[in-house]
Amino acid sequence: MKKLDSTSKADLPSQIAKAIRDFIMAGDLIVDERLPSESELADQFDVSRPTVREALKRLAAQSLIRTQRGASGGAFVNRLSFEEAYGQQITTSTLLLSMNAVSFETACEARYALERACAALASQRRTDKQLSVMKSEIARQADADLTDEAFCASDVAFHRALVDGAGNPVLSYQLAGAVEAMQPLMNMITFTERSRATIIALHQRILDALRNRDAGLADSALVDLDEYTRSLGREVVSKRQARTGTTSTA
Amino acid sequence: MKKLDSTSKADLPSQIAKAIRDFIMAGDLIVDERLPSESELADQFDVSRPTVREALKRLAAQSLIRTQRGASGGAFVNRLSFEEAYGQQITTSTLLLSMNAVSFETACEARYALERACAALASQRRTDKQLSVMKSEIARQADADLTDEAFCASDVAFHRALVDGAGNPVLSYQLAGAVEAMQPLMNMITFTERSRATIIALHQRILDALRNRDAGLADSALVDLDEYTRSLGREVVSKRQARTGTTSTA
DNA sequence: TTTTTTCATTTGTCAGACAATTAAAAGTCT
DNA sequence: AGACTTTTAATTGTCTGACAAATGAAAAAA
C-alpha cells in the first residue's frame, strides 16, 4: 500500500510523513477519512509506534490531519479551513519578515500592491456591510485615547474589510498573511496625532471611493497611503539610526 | 524560563511546541542558536523525552528548527529560507484549493489580480535576464511536440519570471503559492493547437510590453490572458457537465 | 606537531507498559 | 420492547528504559 525509499538518508518519520502526505494530496485519502491506527501503520511501514507517532505529529502540525482518542478514534484527514491556513500563513510570513530582514519598504510595497489589486475588485463588489465596517473602524481610529496597538489593530480590521470587499477568498487568504505579518513592524512606528489624522483622512478617501464605486479614486488613495506609510517608516528608521548608529533593517 | 499552561486541554507536545515557537518568534532565540538538549527540555517542561521529541518534530515540520546528531548536535533555530516558505505555501495552497472546492474562476481571478500588480512593478524594474527567460519559455511553448504538462510547466516558468521581475521577494513568495497551486487545475485544461497559439501570442505581448517598460500594455495583455484562461476553463467545465451531468466545481 | 584513537554527548529508534478517553456492546430495569 | 446504565474493547497520550548511530572533542600515539 505505502512504501518507503530505503535509500533516502532522511529520517524515518520524515519519509513516513511524506508518504502519507503524498497520499492525501493525491486524493487517495479523502477528507474525514480515517487513517489506519498507529499500530497498523507501524506494521505497514515496519517501524515502531513512536516513529509513526512522530510522523503523524508532523502532519498534525500542518493541519493535514487531526487525531481523536477513544474507541472509534484515530487520525483523520482534516478539511483544511481558511482559518487554519491563515494561521500558518501568518506564522510563516512573520518569521520570513523577521528573519530574512525584509525591509519595511519591501513589505509595504508588496502589501499595497496586493491591496490595490483588491480595491479594484472591491469597488465593483463591495457590500454595504463592508462599507459600514470600514466606517466604524474609521470612527474608532479618531478616538484620541486609542493606544498605538489598538490603532494598528483597527487599521488591520479596516484593510481586512477592504480586502474582503473583493469577494475573493483566495485573495483574502493571501493578503491576510501579509497584513498580519506586517503588524509587528507597523507597531514599531509611533503614530503621532498628526500622522493619525492623515491616515484617517486617507481611509476616508478609500471608503468614499468604494462607496461611489470609483476604482480610480480608491487606487490613488491607496497609492498615497502607501507613500505616506513608507515615509513614516523611513522616518522611524532614520531616527533610530541617528540614535543608535545601527544599520539593522529588521 | 519556559512555562506551560496546565489548564489548557491541548496535548502536551502542542503546548511545548507553542511555547518554543513563541520564544523563537519573540526573538528570544535567534537564528542558529542551539536549543537545550531533549533531555534538558524534558526536565524543564517536566515531561518525558518522547513528548519533547514530538514537540520538536512539529517545529521541524514547519522548518522552524533543524536537528543534528552528534556530540555538539541538537536542535537549532532555522533561518527560514524563501525556498522552504515556498514549499509550505504551495502545500497549503494546493490543499486549500483542492479541498475547499475553490472555483476555477476565483483562483484565476486572484492569480491574475496579483500578477497584474507585479507587472506594474516589473515594467519598471525587469532585468534583461528575466526578459531572456521569458523569451526562451515562449520559444519552448511554440514547440508542437510539447506535452500539455510540459506546456503548463513552461507557462509557470514564464509567469514566475514575470513575477520575479517585480524585484519584490515578498510578492514572489506570495504569488508562487497561488500559481503553483493552480497548476493541477490548469493541467486539467486541454490545450488545443489553437489555444496554445493564442496563449503564446499573449505571452509575447506581455514580453514586448515589459521590454518597452510599458505598464499599460502589460496590464491589458494580462487582462486578456485572464479572460482567455477563464473562457478555456468555462469551456472545459461545460463540456464535462454535458458529458457527465455533474455540477462539481473542483 | 600531526595523526589516530577513544570517549562522551546527543539525537534516532525501538520495545513495552500503563493511563485516559471514547464509542459501542452488553446488561438491566421499567 | 424501550430506555438507561455498565462494561468492554480499541485507540491515542505519555512514560520509562534501553540501545544504535553520528559527531565533535579530548586524549594518546607517532
Side-chain angles (χ1 to χ4, degrees):
Chain A
M1 177 182 182
K2 293 154 194 162
K3 286 185 182 172
L4 293 185
D5 178 10
S6 57
T7 67
S8 171
K9 68 180 167 67
D11 53 333
L12 289 172
S14 295
Q15 295 180 50
I16 295 169
K18 185 178 186 324
I20 299 176
R21 179 165 42 237
D22 289 346
F23 236 74
I24 294 175
M25 297 225 286
D28 294 324
L29 285 168
I30 60 172
V31 168
D32 290 337
E33 190 170 344
R34 185 179 172 281
L35 274 69
S37 73
E38 295 179 352
S39 311
E40 288 173 312
L41 285 173
D43 286 344
Q44 284 185 27
F45 287 115
D46 202 32
V47 296
S48 72
R49 194 162 83 93
T51 306
V52 168
R53 274 186 71 75
E54 286 190 358
L56 293 180
K57 288 297 174 180
R58 292 175 98 105
L59 298 177
Q62 297 181 313
S63 303
L64 254 98
I65 61 170
R66 63 177 186 281
T67 56
Q68 202 171 4
R69 276 214 278 218
S72 67
F76 297 84
V77 178
N78 203 13
R79 155 155 271 132
L80 189 60
S81 69
F82 275 101
E83 241 179 43
E84 285 166 328
Y86 281 155
Q88 291 183 231
Q89 171 110 36
I90 290 167
T91 300
T92 305
S93 299
T94 303
L95 284 167
L96 259 187
L97 289 184
S98 69
M99 302 204 307
N100 281 52
V102 171
S103 71
F104 187 78
E105 294 267 329
T106 304
C108 232
E109 174 177 281
R111 171 183 167 167
Y112 284 105
L114 296 175
E115 271 197 49
R116 285 168 63 191
C118 287
L121 294 168
S123 65
Q124 304 306 312
R125 304 185 190 157
R126 90 288 184 286
T127 64
D128 290 341
K129 188 159 181 299
Q130 282 146 3
L131 290 180
S132 73
V133 167
M134 295 169 79
K135 185 179 174 184
S136 67
E137 292 299 337
I138 289 177
R140 176 179 303 165
Q141 289 157 22
D143 180 357
D145 293 336
L146 217 60
T147 64
D148 281 347
E149 282 72 20
F151 185 84
C152 281
S154 172
D155 186 70
V156 169
F158 176 88
H159 287 279
R160 188 121 180 188
L162 162 62
V163 170
D164 288 342
N168 187 313
V170 178
L171 277 178
S172 296
Y173 154 72
Q174 292 274 352
L175 221 103
V179 174
E180 297 260 357
M182 273 189 67
Q183 228 190 334
L185 287 170
M186 294 294 286
N187 279 335
M188 293 180 352
I189 299 179
T190 310
F191 294 98
T192 63
E193 196 179 334
R194 193 169 133 272
S195 63
R196 283 197 188 183
T198 307
I199 290 170
I200 290 169
L202 286 164
H203 283 174
Q204 188 66 50
R205 271 177 61 194
I206 295 170
L207 173 57
D208 291 341
L210 290 190
R211 183 177 282 133
N212 297 328
R213 302 187 185 279
D214 189 328
L217 279 184
D219 193 66
S220 72
L222 274 169
V223 169
D224 290 348
L225 183 54
D226 182 9
E227 177 47 39
Y228 186 65
T229 308
R230 287 198 225 185
S231 73
L232 283 180
R234 274 194 296 269
E235 218 170 285
V236 170
V237 169
S238 65
K239 267 185 195 163
R240 179 183 307 153
Q241 283 181 351
R243 203 170 57 243
T244 68
T246 172
T247 57
S248 163
T249 55
Chain B
M1 179 182 180
K2 293 154 193 161
K3 286 185 182 169
L4 293 184
D5 178 10
S6 57
T7 67
S8 171
K9 67 179 168 65
D11 54 330
L12 289 172
S14 294
Q15 294 179 51
I16 295 169
K18 184 178 186 323
I20 299 176
R21 180 165 41 236
D22 289 346
F23 236 73
I24 295 175
M25 296 223 287
D28 294 324
L29 284 167
I30 60 173
V31 167
D32 290 337
E33 192 170 345
R34 185 178 173 281
L35 273 71
S37 73
E38 294 179 353
S39 310
E40 287 173 311
L41 285 173
D43 286 343
Q44 284 185 28
F45 287 115
D46 203 32
V47 296
S48 70
R49 194 163 82 94
T51 306
V52 168
R53 273 185 71 75
E54 286 188 1
L56 294 180
K57 288 298 175 180
R58 293 175 97 107
L59 298 177
Q62 298 180 311
S63 303
L64 254 97
I65 61 171
R66 62 178 186 281
T67 56
Q68 202 173 5
R69 277 213 276 215
S72 67
F76 298 83
V77 178
N78 203 12
R79 155 157 271 133
L80 190 60
S81 69
F82 275 101
E83 241 178 42
E84 285 165 328
Y86 282 156
Q88 291 183 230
Q89 170 107 34
I90 290 168
T91 300
T92 306
S93 299
T94 303
L95 284 168
L96 258 187
L97 290 184
S98 69
M99 300 204 308
N100 282 54
V102 171
S103 72
F104 186 78
E105 294 267 328
T106 305
C108 232
E109 175 177 278
R111 169 182 170 168
Y112 284 105
L114 296 176
E115 272 197 49
R116 286 168 63 193
C118 288
L121 294 168
S123 64
Q124 304 306 312
R125 304 185 189 157
R126 90 292 182 286
T127 64
D128 289 342
K129 187 160 180 301
Q130 283 147 2
L131 290 181
S132 74
V133 168
M134 294 170 80
K135 184 178 173 185
S136 67
E137 292 299 337
I138 289 176
R140 177 179 304 167
Q141 288 156 22
D143 181 358
D145 294 337
L146 219 58
T147 64
D148 281 346
E149 283 73 20
F151 185 83
C152 281
S154 172
D155 186 69
V156 168
F158 177 87
H159 287 280
R160 187 123 182 188
L162 161 63
V163 170
D164 288 342
N168 188 314
V170 178
L171 277 177
S172 295
Y173 154 72
Q174 293 273 354
L175 221 102
V179 173
E180 297 260 356
M182 273 188 66
Q183 228 192 334
L185 287 170
M186 295 293 288
N187 278 335
M188 291 179 353
I189 299 178
T190 309
F191 293 97
T192 64
E193 195 178 335
R194 194 172 131 271
S195 63
R196 283 196 187 185
T198 308
I199 290 170
I200 291 170
L202 286 165
H203 283 174
Q204 189 66 50
R205 271 177 62 193
I206 294 170
L207 173 57
D208 290 341
L210 290 189
R211 183 177 283 131
N212 298 327
R213 302 189 187 279
D214 189 326
L217 278 184
D219 193 67
S220 70
L222 274 168
V223 169
D224 291 348
L225 182 54
D226 182 8
E227 176 47 42
Y228 186 66
T229 308
R230 287 199 225 185
S231 74
L232 284 179
R234 275 193 295 269
E235 217 170 285
V236 169
V237 168
S238 65
K239 267 185 195 162
R240 179 182 310 152
Q241 284 181 350
R243 201 170 57 242
T244 68
T246 172
T247 56
S248 163
T249 56

